[in-house]
Amino acid sequence: MKILKPCPFCGGKADIITGVTDSLPNYPKVRIVCKKCRVGTDDYVDTTYDASFIDAVVNAWNKRVYE
């Protein structure tokens, strides 16, 4: 798994939050949230049960406009 970059707003450390959707069927979901300022990504839902969706949310978090 890739390393998470610091929060683009405050520089805080980020965490990966996992869970399942509230509706049936209960699909896995993941999001990334900054521990300091609580900014985060939207929930990414895996409807195919393919664990590579975690890489997609990490790539979204790590994307910076200025790079």
Side-chain angles (χ1 to χ4, degrees):
M1 189 181 301
K2 297 180 181 180
I3 296 174
L4 296 173
K5 290 184 179 180
C7 176
F9 299 101
C10 74
K13 182 174 168 51
D15 272 340
I16 297 177
I17 310 296
T18 59
V20 294
T21 57
D22 295 331
S23 60
L24 291 175
N26 296 116
Y27 293 117
K29 66 180 182 178
V30 67
R31 67 186 307 223
I32 297 176
V33 178
C34 173
K35 288 181 171 184
K36 186 175 179 183
C37 71
R38 306 304 295 166
V39 166
T41 63
D42 288 335
D43 286 338
Y44 280 64
V45 177
D46 179 18
T47 58
T48 62
Y49 297 98
D50 177 15
S52 66
F53 82 110
I54 295 174
D55 288 337
V57 75
V58 170
N59 288 337
W61 176 263
N62 286 340
K63 185 177 180 178
R64 302 293 189 263
V65 176
Y66 53 83
E67 290 181 344

